[in-house]
Amino acid sequence: MPDSQPNLLRPNDKLEHALISAWLDSADVGLCVLDSASKVVMLNPAACGILGVDGLHMLNQPLTSLASAARFSLGITQWLDAPCDEGSRHASITRGNIEIDLLLKASVLTAGMVQALDIPNHAAFKVIAITDVTELLEAQRQVNSESFRRQWQALNAGVVISDARLPDMPIVYVNPMFETMSGYSSAEVLGRNCRFLQGVEPDQPGLSAIRTAIASRTNGYAKLRNYRKDGSLFVNELFISPVKDAQGEITHFVGIQHLETSPAA
Ligand SMILES: Cc1cc2nc3c(=O)[nH]c(=O)nc-3n(C[C@H](O)[C@H](O)[C@H](O)COP(=O)(O)O)c2cc1C
C-alpha cells in the first residue's frame, strides 16, 4: 500500500485479514479496490492476469491509466471515477493484440462494513469484480448470429434448446423442422417443458434414459411416443446433449429429434 494511504488494518483483526488475503490471492475472479480518489489500492493476481498488468505498478494509479484500458469509453471512465457508483458494466480492453471483453461489477465499502478494516467515516472504497467474458460473449454472438440460426433452420431434424438454469428447463428455441414435425409454432412452445409432447403417455419406458441423462448432465437417447398438435401419434428418436459455457457450467440442453417409422421402445 503506498505511503499516502492510511493503515486501515486493525491489529486485533489479523486473522480475518489473513483469510481475506488468502481468498483474494486464490480467487478466479479479478478484484480491484479503488479509494475515494479512484486510485488503485489493491489488485489481486486474477485481476493482474486479466488486465495484463503488474499489480505493484498500478498502485495509487487510476485504473483508467492502464495502457490496455485505452479502449474504455467515456461512460466507463466516468463510472469508474465516481466513488459511489455501483452496478455492472461491460468494457473492452486490448491486451497485446487481443481484444478482451470484461464484465465489471462494482460495490462500495463504507465505514463499518468490514470488521477488519477501519474505514474512516468520510471514505469509501469501490470494490470491482472483473471477469473476462470474451468467450462467453463470442458464444452468445454465435448462437444469435444469422448464419448459426440458418444452420439450425436448414437442419433436416427438429432442434429444441432448453435453458438448464431455469426451473423445469423451459424451451428457449425451436427450429422450423420442429414446428413441421409437431404442428406447434415456436410461439406456442417457448417457455414450456418438452414433456407436453408425450400427451397421455408421460410414463413410457424410454423416458428413464432421458431423465438419467438430465440428472447426470450427460448425453441421452430414447425413442419416444409423441403427439402432434392435431393429436396424431409420431415416434420421436430423440438425442439430448448438455451445452457448457466458457466457465464449464452447463447452461442449456440441445435436443435433436428425428421422425422414426418403427414403433417406439
Ligand atoms: C433439450 C430437450 C429436448 C427434449 N425433447 C423432447 C421431445 O421432443 N419429446 C419428449 O417427449 N420429451 C422431450 N424431452 C424430455 C422432457 O422435456 C422431459 O425431460 C422428460 O419428460 C423427463 O422429465 P419428466 O419426468 O419431468 O417429465 C426433451 C428434453 C430436453 C432437455
Side-chain angles (χ1 to χ4, degrees):
M1 197 170 288
D3 292 337
S4 60
Q5 293 302 320
N7 183 3
L8 298 168
L9 180 63
R10 286 187 194 152
N12 58 350
D13 283 319
K14 287 227 162 79
L15 175 63
E16 187 178 339
H17 181 263
L19 290 174
I20 293 174
S21 300
W23 177 74
L24 287 174
D25 283 351
S26 60
D28 287 337
V29 99
L31 286 158
C32 168
V33 181
L34 304 179
D35 65 12
S36 317
S38 303
K39 304 279 175 55
V40 172
V41 288
M42 196 277 303
L43 272 181
N44 76 339
C48 294
I50 293 170
L51 299 172
V53 290
D54 173 343
L56 283 177
H57 284 127
M58 282 308 298
L59 284 184
N60 218 18
Q61 305 294 319
L63 197 58
T64 43
S65 71
L66 279 174
S68 59
R71 302 185 68 251
F72 280 169
S73 66
L74 185 61
I76 293 292
T77 307
Q78 285 171 345
W79 175 71
L80 286 170
D81 285 347
C84 293
D85 275 8
E86 298 189 300
S88 331
R89 297 284 188 281
H90 278 282
S92 301
I93 58 169
T94 308
R95 200 176 62 205
N97 293 328
I98 307 167
E99 193 174 310
I100 312 281
D101 294 304
L102 302 178
L103 175 63
L104 308 173
K105 282 191 183 175
S107 43
V108 174
L109 289 181
T110 50
M113 287 176 83
V114 180
Q115 292 289 310
L117 298 179
D118 250 339
I119 301 178
N121 277 334
H122 59 277
F125 288 85
K126 191 161 176 166
V127 181
I128 302 173
I130 306 171
T131 316
D132 180 345
V133 289
T134 314
E135 287 179 38
L136 183 62
L137 290 189
E138 180 52 30
Q140 282 180 356
R141 270 180 219 122
Q142 282 188 15
V143 169
N144 291 326
S145 76
E146 262 312 298
S147 66
F148 191 82
R149 294 243 160 196
R150 273 201 296 275
Q151 284 174 35
W152 283 132
Q153 288 178 4
L155 210 63
N156 192 23
V159 176
V160 171
I161 303 181
S162 304
D163 194 323
R165 296 162 301 186
L166 295 177
D168 209 28
M169 297 184 48
I171 297 171
V172 293
Y173 172 78
V174 293
N175 74 341
M177 189 60 184
F178 173 91
E179 294 178 301
T180 308
M181 271 171 66
S182 69
Y184 290 95
S185 69
S186 164
E188 288 173 306
V189 302
L190 291 184
R192 301 174 71 179
N193 181 289
C194 276
R195 77 171 69 79
F196 74 89
L197 289 171
Q198 296 149 22
V200 291
E201 298 190 65
D203 286 321
Q204 47 188 295
L207 283 174
S208 59
I210 298 296
R211 290 184 185 124
T212 305
I214 291 172
S216 53
R217 311 304 234 187
T218 51
N219 298 334
Y221 166 77
K223 276 187 191 176
L224 298 173
R225 291 163 63 85
N226 279 179
Y227 292 86
R228 297 187 182 88
K229 188 178 176 183
D230 66 7
S232 59
L233 173 71
F234 68 102
V235 176
N236 180 354
E237 201 179 3
L238 174 69
F239 298 83
I240 63 167
S241 286
V243 180
K244 294 180 180 171
D245 67 11
Q247 278 71 44
E249 189 206 344
I250 292 172
T251 58
H252 296 85
F253 264 86
V254 175
I256 309 287
Q257 296 134 340
H258 291 275
L259 263 182
E260 172 65 40
T261 44
S262 61

